[in-house]
Amino acid sequence: MEVFERLAIKPLEWRDGAVRWIDVSRLPWEERVVETRDVERLAKAIERLEIRGAPAIGVAAALGIAMAAYNSDAETVEQLLRDVERAAERLRRTRPTAYNLFWAIDRMLGTARRAAQSGDTDGLRRTLVEEALRVMREDIEANMTMGRIGAELVEDGDTILTHCNTGALATAGYGTALGVVRAAWEQGKKISVIATETRPLLQGARLTVWELVKEGIPVRLITDNMVGYVMAKGLVSKVFLGADRILLTGHVTNKIGTYTIAVLAKRHRVPFYVVAPTSTIDPRTRPEDIVIEERSPEEVRTVLGKLTITVPNVEVYNPAFDTTPPELVSAIITEKGIARPPYPESLSKLLGKRSAR
Ligand code: MRU
């Protein structure tokens, strides 16, 4: 059976030249599916976090480039390539931190430029659709493999703390860190999850809880500032979370609050595991050059734009991500295996040829 058919939650779909997604900014109140053939609409969906999570935005960009080619009325390969490059350029400007976005766009452009040499416009369109579907399929397969590998680190009775949303809704399906939780649960391990709410946009409270409740996996929700207390009380066996960008040094950039959890995990000797596909590993950037997205002050001044919780126009700082240094990371689980310190060696080995470029 095609891997897409095995998914309980389908966050992204390709429908004859259109891209479809679950608008996760409306969950858990409304399960709305949106469809478009317009690259600008798709780019806006990524900017507004209707589609979010590093692997999901990478897959959405790949589908967006295929969509631009499929719907282009270009008559020559040169014109078609220009349309594809314009779409890629727009999608590249949506969000700066998640590496999967740039990885997927570069992969699609590389494929487009190679296929363009044949001079066949329809062939180029077909190749790009096939490549985008391959990017999507590979993401799901990577998640299922990471789930299996990561579940070996989970013991019966464990309570797993997670942050943000790393589930089906953050990927093409199944999930990264939440994929490990899913796999351990499917293996019959009696586990439970502590999910942080993840201010300001509440991906933990809205999305992780929604996914776990749907599967019947026991979950308790805490606010972000409770992590130290629950660890000090011995309530957390392991931390599993995802990543937006992992450097070869082992620096892990992920949702704001991850660094705080890592420091607390070290203090309380709780293993801190990162789960991400190799498409999240950035072999070139140095730690000091990582771009951390800063988002609108309104996200902090209000609760999801609905309730103002402070004095109007108070100055706000709203970084969407932080970076955890390698000495706080117990292991990084990828679809190619588990990397352990020292990361420059273990991650380069996992990446193989890609790390040498
Ligand atoms: O701002 P978001 O919701 O896109 O941030 C997402 C995260 O930080 C996730 O933890 C990360 O992308 C890993 S998802 C598998």
Side-chain angles (χ1 to χ4, degrees), residues 25 51 82 104 118 130 167 181 190 233 240 243 248 270 276 322 329 336 346 351:
S25 70
I51 303 167
R82 267 198 301 279
S118 71
E130 281 163 10
V181 168
K190 288 187 188 54
K233 282 195 77 155
F240 279 89
L248 280 188
V270 173
D322 60 27
V329 179
K336 294 196 176 157
S346 58
L351 266 198

Side-chain angles (χ1 to χ4, degrees), residues 119-166:
D120 169 11
T121 48
D122 281 343
L124 176 52
R125 288 187 178 90
R126 235 185 353 264
T127 302
L128 287 176
V129 172
E130 281 163 10
E131 183 71 346
L133 290 175
R134 201 170 299 123
V135 167
M136 184 156 145
R137 188 178 304 116
E138 284 174 10
D139 186 61
I140 301 164
E141 286 167 354
N143 289 340
M144 290 178 170
T145 306
M146 289 187 291
R148 229 179 18 252
I149 297 174
E152 285 168 27
L153 301 169
V154 178
E155 288 158 279
D156 209 35
D158 274 354
T159 299
I160 292 168
L161 184 134
T162 193
H163 186 53
C164 194
N165 172 263
T166 63

